[in-house]
Amino acid sequence: MGFTPEVSRRSMAEFRRSQLREDGEAEDVLLVRSATGEETPHQMSCEQVVATGLAAYIKGFMRYGDTCEDLDPIETACANDLDSYFEYYTEDPRFLLAALLLDQDPRNTLTLDLSALLSAGYCNSAEDLSAQAIHELGLMTASTGPIIVITEGKFDAQVIPRALRLVCPEVAGYFKFWDLETTKAAGGTDQVVKNMRSFAAAGVMNRVIGILDNDTAGRQAEKQLASTPLPDHYAVCRLPDLDYARSYPTLGPSGASSDDVTGRACSVEFYFGRDCLLGPDGTLIPVRWKSLIDSMTDYQGELANKAYVQERIKEMLREAETSGKQLGSEWDPMRRLAQTLISLAEPKPE
């Protein structure tokens, strides 16, 4: 979660260091106020100030600005310095809790005293405050954390983010695509189903979107996930329908034909415009019908020369990224996919 003792203390020290730099003051000096109000400089690094302030918190049970007679002037100055971190940088108490736990005896039991909250009527003894806190944290993470996008294959995860940065750069950074190539993770529609279910079972709090091809296997996977009780901040979509896929050349046991391949053979290679699907001879590369998916009573199709189309897409992306020219209508399918992702990423109303 990023709240380890080391990370929390380092964050506090860096905050103090940046504030001193901004004010033009020395980074290794702490001003200590005496009982008469006179300030005396003391040589202390930012890390020492943090460590001393946290020790003062434990010693005096200080809470954001309270004073304690048991603390000496240096301890008080360090603790007061930490108060500004929580006032101006973060109000999340987990940073303080994690930092305080460093060097503590792991055999000790940490108890959170809720008596003040109970007596003030903020909660009652029957409430499960831990579950409520986790639920609220989940809502916050789903609303502000990166949106995880799971695709079927390595090529999808390579080209969709690049296309998204071109057609919708203002929101592209919010989406984090699972890198199948670096992680060496398996691809395919069955893996999208497994990963979506695994993420839900593990309690991943980010918004998660699964993108399926608009083919027979994708429809099958979509049907499988529809029967799974996924969290509200999870979503699944197939690649959008395409007009030029309504009548497209195909190859099957009975020879060449023209068929509607929507929902039967439209992989990501179809979504960079019709021209990208043209072969060396200037005609559309046909879809070859492959296996029958019994549960869908339909055949799964695939481009006969997918590798050629992929190279054309890579070149199309390179040119768009370097030329600076206005994107034409061939990018409309990716624009539609971008709008679909944005719609699915919006938090659902309570």
Side-chain angles (χ1 to χ4, degrees):
M1 294 295 294
F3 296 102
T4 64
E6 294 79 6
V7 169
S8 298
R9 290 193 177 208
R10 186 164 59 248
S11 174
M12 295 175 187
E14 286 302 321
F15 173 77
R16 171 174 167 76
R17 187 172 288 111
S18 66
Q19 290 297 106
L20 291 172
R21 288 173 180 169
E22 186 176 318
D23 296 338
E25 299 178 9
E27 297 178 15
D28 57 352
V29 172
L30 173 72
L31 295 178
V32 179
R33 188 182 299 274
S34 67
T36 61
E38 182 181 356
E39 290 187 332
T40 305
H42 283 258
Q43 197 81 12
M44 292 185 75
S45 68
C46 293
E47 287 73 19
Q48 289 174 321
V49 171
V50 170
T52 304
L54 291 170
Y57 272 30
I58 296 175
K59 178 180 178 181
F61 301 102
M62 297 185 65
R63 294 183 180 180
Y64 307 125
D66 294 343
T67 58
C68 178
E69 295 180 356
D70 294 335
L71 301 180
D72 63 37
I74 293 180
E75 291 173 326
T76 300
C78 291
N80 287 339
D81 192 273
L82 283 189
D83 288 342
S84 63
Y85 173 82
F86 294 103
E87 181 177 357
Y88 297 110
Y89 186 75
T90 179
E91 295 181 354
D92 196 322
R94 289 174 295 175
F95 278 102
L96 175 59
L97 180 59
L100 290 173
L101 291 176
L102 186 65
D103 299 328
Q104 299 302 308
D105 189 339
R107 295 169 297 181
N108 290 341
T109 300
L110 177 66
T111 302
L112 181 62
D113 184 2
L114 300 176
S115 56
L117 294 177
L118 287 168
S119 61
Y122 288 107
C123 60
N124 60 65
S125 58
E127 289 184 82
D128 189 345
L129 297 181
S130 295
Q132 181 180 332
I134 292 174
H135 174 70
E136 292 177 356
L137 176 62
L139 293 177
M140 179 178 67
T141 304
S143 298
T144 60
I147 303 155
I148 300 172
V149 182
I150 302 174
T151 61
E152 286 193 26
K154 179 175 67 175
F155 186 72
D156 306 52
Q158 291 174 345
V159 299
I160 295 178
R162 292 172 66 184
L164 198 61
R165 288 193 290 271
L166 289 167
V167 302
C168 210
E170 65 275 11
V171 300
Y174 290 100
F175 296 92
K176 176 66 176 177
F177 285 75
W178 196 2
D179 187 353
L180 295 173
E181 184 173 23
T182 302
T183 60
K184 306 299 181 184
T189 54
D190 57 334
Q191 290 300 320
V192 174
V193 173
K194 290 178 181 178
N195 291 330
M196 294 288 288
R197 289 173 173 171
S198 296
F199 279 29
V204 174
M205 296 177 181
N206 299 68
R207 283 166 290 177
V208 181
I209 300 174
I211 301 179
L212 298 164
D213 288 350
N214 194 0
D215 56 14
T216 308
R219 287 191 290 121
Q220 181 188 38
E222 187 179 44
K223 184 178 179 180
Q224 292 171 340
L225 287 170
S227 65
T228 304
L230 294 174
D232 289 341
H233 54 285
Y234 284 46
V236 182
C237 70
R238 278 186 290 124
L239 295 171
D241 292 348
L242 300 168
D243 289 338
Y244 50 81
R246 299 294 183 188
S247 180
Y248 194 86
T250 60
L251 295 174
S254 58
S257 182
S258 182
D259 295 290
D260 185 353
V261 297
T262 304
R264 305 172 73 196
C266 291
S267 56
V268 72
E269 289 80 10
F270 271 80
Y271 291 84
F272 289 84
R274 185 179 182 276
D275 287 352
C276 263
L277 297 168
L278 298 176
D281 61 356
T283 63
L284 290 170
I285 295 175
V287 162
R288 188 181 301 278
W289 296 119
K290 302 182 75 175
S291 58
L292 173 69
I293 298 181
D294 293 330
S295 64
M296 304 302 294
T297 62
D298 205 349
Y299 283 90
Q300 168 75 4
E302 184 178 290
L303 283 170
N305 193 351
K306 183 182 285 189
Y308 178 82
V309 177
Q310 289 179 348
E311 288 304 315
R312 296 203 63 179
I313 291 171
K314 291 177 184 178
E315 180 57 34
M316 179 179 173
L317 285 166
R318 282 192 291 267
E319 182 179 349
E321 290 166 343
T322 57
S323 69
K325 296 180 181 177
Q326 186 173 356
L327 304 181
S329 60
E330 68 273 15
W331 292 92
D332 285 349
M334 276 296 150
R335 292 188 179 101
R336 290 178 58 195
L337 177 59
Q339 291 305 313
T340 299
L341 291 176
I342 291 171
S343 176
L344 293 175
E346 293 178 353
K348 295 182 180 178
E350 290 289 315

